[in-house]
Amino acid sequence: MKNSIYLDYAATTPVDPQVAEKMMQYLTPAGVFGNASSIHVTGQTAKKAVDDARAQVASVIHAEPEEMIWTSGATESNNLALKGAAHLYQRKGRHIITVKTEHVSVLDCCQQLEKEGFSVTYLTPESNGLLNLERFRDALRDDTILVSVMQVNNEIGVIQPIETIAQWTAERGILLHVDAAQSIGKTQLNLQKMPIDLVSLSSHKTYGPKGVGALYVRRRPRVRVASQMHGGGHEQGMRSGTLAVHQIVAMGEAFELAIEKFDEEQKKIKEFKQYLYEQLHAKVGAMVNGDWDNAVPHILNVRFPGKKASDLMNAMPNVAVSTGSACHAKGTEPSYVLRALGLSAEEAHSSLRFSFGRFTTREEIESVVDLFAM
Ligand code: PMP
């Protein structure tokens, strides 16, 4: 691994060593290994750890601990939010609004709901990736029950105007779901200031382990979702399954750490993005995909006119970058996100996503720049 340069933090992040160390204390006979539902002391010690992690994660988004439902990751959170809300509120209406650039786990749920008789409007963003608010307002209908718009896009890093969307949906009594899998540690998400009803979170995009996430479900006014996983009635009956205490504790620790390190990381990563883009633009005429100003610094998606992204990747085998979402990495189709921005298939095929993170160094960025000294 020494010789490789990892610039794919939007696909996943390594677990922070501090987080891994904490996680290991919740596994072995000497550690806190109990079932958090057991009433004996071993179980209750585990429950206390889960409660502490719940408070840590909630505080990052300015929510209450009881509003957090543990899941296996943002894919499951998105499924629970979309299908769970649609199923529970369908008597109010059967119309849903989302955006063509959402994560595949949101779009697939919408397609499933269409098969069940719901009607879904898929909004096309502007060429900079941002949602046109007027077009969004025009799409709202009397039978709209749910809107799903992500905060940070995983391929191009743009930040959608969810504050305004939240005001409008709240005024009309429509539920708003926000996929915030890419938000934590990269931008602010304050639920005291934004009336959002459902928020999906993932641990492994923020230096926690894979296989754990959470869904925020608003309590005031009270929002409910129909369980998609039936069993022992865990998580207020919304998501059954024995809690993965070690992963949950690790997610709590990782989220707290993300806030501690926020300012320092933001500053460093902003410089990396600016420098890499300036250099790639000057050397090979690279162009940015997506809005520059309304975006997190952690993601830089650029197209290289006249070049194929796959050739560029082959020419730098030690640099881990991607051509789009890892969820689609095996496909040969051009990125649907870039296509939704109006890029041609050729332009999309000439684009690469660089994503930076906690362990990225200036030397690594410079080494990548040197590879482009063609
Ligand atoms: N939403 C977004 C925006 C993502 O980037 C991802 C991860 N690629 C997911 C959802 C799915 O998250 P998880 O891997 O935790 O299921």
Side-chain angles (χ1 to χ4, degrees):
M1 295 295 283
K2 271 262 167 64
N3 296 325
S4 68
I5 297 176
Y6 187 74
L7 292 180
D8 205 12
Y9 281 81
T12 195
T13 60
V15 175
D16 189 289
Q18 183 179 322
V19 172
E21 196 152 312
K22 176 132 187 198
M23 184 159 95
M24 284 188 280
Q25 294 163 21
Y26 293 81
L27 291 162
T28 62
V32 181
F33 65 88
N35 183 327
S37 298
S38 302
I39 53 169
H40 48 63
V41 69
T42 313
Q44 290 305 296
T45 312
K47 182 178 181 298
K48 165 84 173 60
V50 168
D51 288 345
D52 290 347
R54 209 185 284 283
Q56 281 173 311
V57 171
S59 91
V60 168
I61 57 171
H62 303 267
E64 297 299 324
E66 312 81 58
E67 295 177 310
M68 308 309 309
I69 304 295
W70 299 116
T71 65
S72 62
T75 296
E76 187 190 334
S77 300
N78 287 342
N79 273 262
L80 181 56
L82 283 143
K83 294 191 277 185
H87 291 160
L88 210 72
Y89 292 90
Q90 56 183 317
R91 261 192 261 148
K92 279 183 75 183
R94 303 195 99 202
H95 179 236
I96 298 164
I97 300 174
T98 190
V99 190
K100 286 184 180 162
T101 46
E102 291 295 309
H103 188 259
V104 67
S105 57
V106 165
L107 298 177
D108 266 11
C109 285
C110 287
Q111 274 173 22
Q112 175 58 31
L113 288 166
E114 280 183 296
K115 284 183 198 146
E116 295 173 22
F118 288 85
S119 106
V120 182
T121 300
Y122 299 90
L123 294 169
T124 304
E126 300 284 352
S127 58
N128 61 4
L130 295 171
L131 193 55
N132 178 313
L133 284 168
E134 265 171 43
R135 224 178 291 152
F136 168 73
R137 196 167 38 196
D138 290 346
L140 294 169
R141 305 191 328 210
D142 288 342
D143 63 340
T144 308
I145 50 164
L146 175 65
V147 168
S148 182
V149 178
M150 72 203 322
Q151 187 180 27
V152 175
N153 183 276
N154 49 306
E155 289 197 32
I156 53 178
V158 299
I159 305 173
Q160 296 292 1
I162 53 167
E163 196 158 355
T164 308
I165 294 170
Q167 274 165 20
W168 292 352
T169 48
E171 276 166 18
R172 297 183 56 144
I174 297 168
L175 293 178
L176 174 62
H177 166 248
V178 170
D179 177 350
Q182 295 284 350
S183 302
I184 307 306
K186 301 191 180 96
T187 188
Q188 305 285 355
L189 178 58
N190 185 341
L191 297 183
Q192 292 301 316
K193 292 197 181 144
M194 292 186 243
I196 301 171
D197 301 288
L198 299 157
V199 176
S200 297
L201 300 170
S202 178
S203 147
H204 76 98
K205 311 286 184 184
T206 312
Y207 311 95
K210 295 164 188 60
V212 62
L215 179 67
Y216 159 86
V217 182
R218 179 175 286 278
R219 280 215 156 189
R220 277 184 298 271
R222 194 177 181 89
V223 173
R224 300 280 301 171
V225 288
S227 172
Q228 304 297 304
M229 191 71 75
H230 301 96
H234 305 74
E235 300 299 276
Q236 303 168 50
M238 286 185 259
R239 199 278 191 176
S240 288
T242 301
L243 295 177
V245 180
H246 61 300
Q247 285 170 300
I248 287 169
V249 163
M251 179 171 171
E253 186 78 0
F255 271 42
E256 195 171 292
L257 205 54
I259 297 306
E260 263 174 55
K261 292 186 178 282
F262 188 91
D263 291 337
E264 172 200 330
E265 277 179 15
Q266 196 81 6
K267 184 170 174 288
K268 173 183 102 166
I269 290 170
K270 229 179 192 165
E271 283 169 16
F272 292 165
K273 178 174 180 173
Q274 180 83 31
Y275 176 72
L276 183 60
Y277 180 58
E278 276 170 12
Q279 293 292 315
L280 295 180
H281 182 69
K283 284 180 191 248
V284 288
M287 312 280 284
V288 71
N289 291 324
D291 197 69
W292 181 268
D293 296 322
N294 295 296
V296 294
H298 305 66
I299 297 176
L300 172 66
N301 194 313
V302 281
R303 58 184 187 278
F304 297 87
K307 297 203 162 50
K308 273 197 184 146
S310 50
D311 292 344
L312 292 171
M313 283 172 78
N314 288 338
M316 42 181 198
N318 295 329
V319 183
V321 290
S322 71
T323 51
S325 162
C327 310
H328 267 103
K330 287 191 200 82
T332 49
E333 288 293 301
S335 150
Y336 68 83
V337 171
L338 297 181
R339 294 287 278 141
L341 267 52
L343 264 65
S344 66
E346 198 190 335
E347 285 172 318
H349 275 310
S350 73
S351 298
L352 280 182
R353 176 186 70 182
F354 298 87
S355 47
F356 320 102
R358 185 167 298 164
F359 307 105
T360 308
T361 62
R362 175 85 186 186
E363 292 70 43
E364 288 178 323
I365 302 290
E366 282 170 359
S367 304
V368 171
V369 167
D370 287 345
L371 293 171
F372 281 87
M374 301 168 186

PDB file of all heavy atoms in Angstrom, residues 81-92:
ATOM      1  N   ALA A  81     -36.239   5.218   4.745  1.00  0.00           N
ATOM      2  CA  ALA A  81     -36.848   6.551   4.647  1.00  0.00           C
ATOM      3  C   ALA A  81     -37.875   6.596   3.523  1.00  0.00           C
ATOM      4  O   ALA A  81     -39.024   6.994   3.730  1.00  0.00           O
ATOM      5  CB  ALA A  81     -35.764   7.599   4.406  1.00  0.00           C
ATOM      6  N   LEU A  82     -37.473   6.165   2.340  1.00  0.00           N
ATOM      7  CA  LEU A  82     -38.347   6.324   1.170  1.00  0.00           C
ATOM      8  C   LEU A  82     -39.514   5.344   1.188  1.00  0.00           C
ATOM      9  O   LEU A  82     -40.677   5.741   1.110  1.00  0.00           O
ATOM     10  CB  LEU A  82     -37.522   6.168  -0.107  1.00  0.00           C
ATOM     11  CG  LEU A  82     -36.713   7.434  -0.399  1.00  0.00           C
ATOM     12  CD1 LEU A  82     -35.363   7.111  -0.969  1.00  0.00           C
ATOM     13  CD2 LEU A  82     -37.474   8.336  -1.337  1.00  0.00           C
ATOM     14  N   LYS A  83     -39.202   4.063   1.300  1.00  0.00           N
ATOM     15  CA  LYS A  83     -40.288   3.073   1.284  1.00  0.00           C
ATOM     16  C   LYS A  83     -41.108   3.183   2.571  1.00  0.00           C
ATOM     17  O   LYS A  83     -42.333   3.102   2.547  1.00  0.00           O
ATOM     18  CB  LYS A  83     -39.718   1.663   1.095  1.00  0.00           C
ATOM     19  CG  LYS A  83     -39.074   1.510  -0.293  1.00  0.00           C
ATOM     20  CD  LYS A  83     -38.740   0.075  -0.612  1.00  0.00           C
ATOM     21  CE  LYS A  83     -37.419  -0.332  -0.023  1.00  0.00           C
ATOM     22  NZ  LYS A  83     -36.992  -1.679  -0.397  1.00  0.00           N
ATOM     23  N   GLY A  84     -40.404   3.394   3.690  1.00  0.00           N
ATOM     24  CA  GLY A  84     -41.090   3.487   4.979  1.00  0.00           C
ATOM     25  C   GLY A  84     -42.049   4.660   5.037  1.00  0.00           C
ATOM     26  O   GLY A  84     -43.173   4.529   5.538  1.00  0.00           O
ATOM     27  N   ALA A  85     -41.631   5.821   4.527  1.00  0.00           N
ATOM     28  CA  ALA A  85     -42.511   7.003   4.548  1.00  0.00           C
ATOM     29  C   ALA A  85     -43.624   6.850   3.517  1.00  0.00           C
ATOM     30  O   ALA A  85     -44.787   7.127   3.806  1.00  0.00           O
ATOM     31  CB  ALA A  85     -41.705   8.266   4.282  1.00  0.00           C
ATOM     32  N   ALA A  86     -43.275   6.379   2.328  1.00  0.00           N
ATOM     33  CA  ALA A  86     -44.287   6.230   1.269  1.00  0.00           C
ATOM     34  C   ALA A  86     -45.383   5.272   1.734  1.00  0.00           C
ATOM     35  O   ALA A  86     -46.577   5.555   1.592  1.00  0.00           O
ATOM     36  CB  ALA A  86     -43.637   5.729  -0.012  1.00  0.00           C
ATOM     37  N   HIS A  87     -44.977   4.164   2.333  1.00  0.00           N
ATOM     38  CA  HIS A  87     -45.980   3.180   2.756  1.00  0.00           C
ATOM     39  C   HIS A  87     -46.873   3.717   3.875  1.00  0.00           C
ATOM     40  O   HIS A  87     -48.066   3.454   3.909  1.00  0.00           O
ATOM     41  CB  HIS A  87     -45.293   1.881   3.218  1.00  0.00           C
ATOM     42  CG  HIS A  87     -44.646   1.140   2.087  1.00  0.00           C
ATOM     43  ND1 HIS A  87     -43.659   0.210   2.260  1.00  0.00           N
ATOM     44  CD2 HIS A  87     -44.842   1.216   0.739  1.00  0.00           C
ATOM     45  CE1 HIS A  87     -43.272  -0.264   1.075  1.00  0.00           C
ATOM     46  NE2 HIS A  87     -43.982   0.331   0.142  1.00  0.00           N
ATOM     47  N   LEU A  88     -46.274   4.484   4.764  1.00  0.00           N
ATOM     48  CA  LEU A  88     -47.062   4.955   5.913  1.00  0.00           C
ATOM     49  C   LEU A  88     -47.961   6.146   5.578  1.00  0.00           C
ATOM     50  O   LEU A  88     -49.023   6.309   6.174  1.00  0.00           O
ATOM     51  CB  LEU A  88     -46.109   5.340   7.051  1.00  0.00           C
ATOM     52  CG  LEU A  88     -46.694   5.154   8.433  1.00  0.00           C
ATOM     53  CD1 LEU A  88     -46.791   3.678   8.773  1.00  0.00           C
ATOM     54  CD2 LEU A  88     -45.834   5.840   9.465  1.00  0.00           C
ATOM     55  N   TYR A  89     -47.535   6.984   4.654  1.00  0.00           N
ATOM     56  CA  TYR A  89     -48.291   8.218   4.380  1.00  0.00           C
ATOM     57  C   TYR A  89     -49.068   8.154   3.071  1.00  0.00           C
ATOM     58  O   TYR A  89     -49.547   9.175   2.584  1.00  0.00           O
ATOM     59  CB  TYR A  89     -47.334   9.426   4.382  1.00  0.00           C
ATOM     60  CG  TYR A  89     -46.762   9.715   5.762  1.00  0.00           C
ATOM     61  CD1 TYR A  89     -45.566   9.126   6.180  1.00  0.00           C
ATOM     62  CD2 TYR A  89     -47.438  10.539   6.662  1.00  0.00           C
ATOM     63  CE1 TYR A  89     -45.050   9.361   7.454  1.00  0.00           C
ATOM     64  CE2 TYR A  89     -46.924  10.785   7.931  1.00  0.00           C
ATOM     65  CZ  TYR A  89     -45.733  10.193   8.317  1.00  0.00           C
ATOM     66  OH  TYR A  89     -45.237  10.434   9.578  1.00  0.00           O
ATOM     67  N   GLN A  90     -49.212   6.964   2.479  1.00  0.00           N
ATOM     68  CA  GLN A  90     -49.823   6.902   1.141  1.00  0.00           C
ATOM     69  C   GLN A  90     -51.289   7.309   1.106  1.00  0.00           C
ATOM     70  O   GLN A  90     -51.785   7.682   0.046  1.00  0.00           O
ATOM     71  CB  GLN A  90     -49.632   5.528   0.506  1.00  0.00           C
ATOM     72  CG  GLN A  90     -50.139   4.363   1.311  1.00  0.00           C
ATOM     73  CD  GLN A  90     -49.820   3.059   0.618  1.00  0.00           C
ATOM     74  OE1 GLN A  90     -49.977   2.934  -0.588  1.00  0.00           O
ATOM     75  NE2 GLN A  90     -49.348   2.084   1.373  1.00  0.00           N
ATOM     76  N   ARG A  91     -51.919   7.322   2.270  1.00  0.00           N
ATOM     77  CA  ARG A  91     -53.327   7.753   2.243  1.00  0.00           C
ATOM     78  C   ARG A  91     -53.427   9.253   1.996  1.00  0.00           C
ATOM     79  O   ARG A  91     -54.436   9.750   1.533  1.00  0.00           O
ATOM     80  CB  ARG A  91     -54.017   7.368   3.544  1.00  0.00           C
ATOM     81  CG  ARG A  91     -54.815   6.074   3.330  1.00  0.00           C
ATOM     82  CD  ARG A  91     -55.749   5.780   4.477  1.00  0.00           C
ATOM     83  NE  ARG A  91     -55.135   4.799   5.345  1.00  0.00           N
ATOM     84  CZ  ARG A  91     -55.324   4.736   6.661  1.00  0.00           C
ATOM     85  NH1 ARG A  91     -56.079   5.594   7.273  1.00  0.00           N
ATOM     86  NH2 ARG A  91     -54.740   3.794   7.365  1.00  0.00           N
ATOM     87  N   LYS A  92     -52.341   9.992   2.286  1.00  0.00           N
ATOM     88  CA  LYS A  92     -52.337  11.449   2.036  1.00  0.00           C
ATOM     89  C   LYS A  92     -52.095  11.769   0.564  1.00  0.00           C
ATOM     90  O   LYS A  92     -52.426  12.835   0.074  1.00  0.00           O
ATOM     91  CB  LYS A  92     -51.208  12.108   2.850  1.00  0.00           C
ATOM     92  CG  LYS A  92     -51.562  12.351   4.293  1.00  0.00           C
ATOM     93  CD  LYS A  92     -50.443  13.074   5.019  1.00  0.00           C
ATOM     94  CE  LYS A  92     -50.370  14.547   4.668  1.00  0.00           C
ATOM     95  NZ  LYS A  92     -49.215  15.213   5.342  1.00  0.00           N
TER      96      LYS A  92
END
